[in-house]
Amino acid sequence: ETGVTQTPRHLVMGMTNKKSLKCEQHLGHNAMYWYKQSAKKPLELMFVYNFKEQTENNSVPSRFSPECPNSSHLFLHLHTLQPEDSALYLCASSQEGLADSYEQYFGPGTRLTVT
Amino acid sequence: GQNIDQPTEMTATEGAIVQINCTYQTSGFNGLFWYQQHAGEAPTFLSYNVLDGLEEKGRFSSFLSRSKGYSYLLLKELQMKDSASYLCAVRDSNYQLIWGAGTKLIIKP
């Protein structure tokens, strides 16, 4: 248990569906992240929220839409996805500004399959 | 562009020592991280280096040479539970993490 939970753990969706991934951190951190992890590829940073403000959007297609209603919750809304979007989606959090290392704590991920 | 290189896969024997290398080329440097990720699980933090030298933490040690753009993770007294992927990540000048693809470590009895 890392203090970061994600639901659902597995999701299969068609290309015309709309679904949302949820992340919750119980660590009191002020920054949250969405990553995409594909087999044998580096983690791809998708979005960053610091103090609920989006500070990073790494050229992610608009079919992915993040939402951060408060510092503990993060959502990733999905619509009209493509098969190449099938991957493990990881949420992470960290406490920015107080410690040097800024280590990130990861959730277990959502395994997404787009059919 | 920014790049992190680490071997795709390594095999070692239970009880032995293994060294996993990581080389990086990034725009700026603000620290290097090693994470462990078991199959189907979240990556978990192992170590952090920002100054040159060796950081030791139990059976795991991490080394950094900033001038060479090089780090390694040293695992001693290997146990079967150490079978996992090991991810190297560098924080660049914008304080963003640049990740390697990970090294899958297979431990054999």
Side-chain angles (χ1 to χ4, degrees):
Chain A
E1 280 292 327
T2 62
V4 182
T5 58
Q6 289 187 244
T7 54
R9 293 294 307 275
H10 300 273
L11 178 62
V12 179
M13 58 186 289
M15 289 189 284
T16 58
N17 291 158
K18 288 185 180 181
K19 297 286 184 183
S20 295
L21 309 185
K22 179 182 176 182
C23 175
E24 183 174 359
Q25 59 98 357
H26 312 273
L27 301 168
H29 288 165
N30 57 16
M32 297 186 77
Y33 311 79
W34 278 119
Y35 285 94
K36 176 183 179 183
Q37 187 175 37
S38 302
K40 299 184 179 180
K41 289 186 178 180
L43 282 172
E44 299 174 44
L45 179 64
M46 301 176 72
F47 302 104
V48 181
Y49 279 83
N50 271 324
F51 299 96
K52 301 187 296 177
E53 297 294 322
Q54 184 176 311
T55 59
E56 192 79 20
N57 177 341
N58 282 346
S59 303
V60 179
S62 59
R63 56 186 184 269
F64 294 92
S65 173
E67 179 190 359
C68 187
N70 55 60
S71 58
S72 299
H73 294 85
L74 186 64
F75 294 90
L76 188 62
H77 303 299
L78 317 171
H79 65 99
T80 59
L81 294 191
Q82 304 298 310
E84 60 264 29
D85 297 323
S86 297
L88 181 67
Y89 288 84
L90 290 164
C91 174
S93 70
S94 67
Q95 183 61 25
E96 298 296 296
L98 291 182
D100 181 41
S101 66
Y102 302 163
E103 67 189 79
Q104 294 182 9
Y105 292 76
F106 285 83
T110 295
R111 174 67 63 184
L112 174 67
T113 303
V114 181
T115 60
Chain B
Q2 308 203 88
N3 195 49
I4 309 282
D5 284 319
Q6 49 182 134
T8 302
E9 187 173 299
M10 298 182 70
T11 302
T13 304
E14 189 177 17
I17 299 173
V18 71
Q19 177 175 311
I20 302 175
N21 295 325
C22 171
T23 57
Y24 62 89
Q25 295 165 315
T26 55
S27 56
F29 177 86
N30 282 297
L32 184 144
F33 296 79
W34 284 96
Y35 281 79
Q36 179 190 59
Q37 186 177 24
H38 285 101
E41 297 183 13
T44 54
F45 170 76
L46 285 179
S47 68
Y48 170 73
N49 294 71
V50 67
L51 299 176
D52 290 351
L54 189 68
E55 294 282 342
E56 296 186 78
K57 193 184 289 187
R59 293 188 300 114
F60 292 7
S61 303
S62 57
F63 172 84
L64 175 67
S65 170
R66 288 172 296 171
S67 62
K68 295 182 180 178
Y70 167 70
S71 172
Y72 67 73
L73 181 68
L74 190 72
L75 291 75
K76 302 176 185 176
E77 301 169 15
L78 286 170
Q79 302 175 10
M80 298 302 293
K81 67 178 181 180
D82 297 329
S83 292
S85 288
Y86 291 85
L87 312 179
C88 174
V90 172
R91 193 163 60 203
D92 67 11
S93 56
N94 294 321
Y95 282 80
Q96 294 298 337
L97 281 179
I98 311 301
W99 294 84
T103 298
K104 183 178 180 181
L105 178 63
I106 300 168
I107 309 298
K108 295 186 174 179

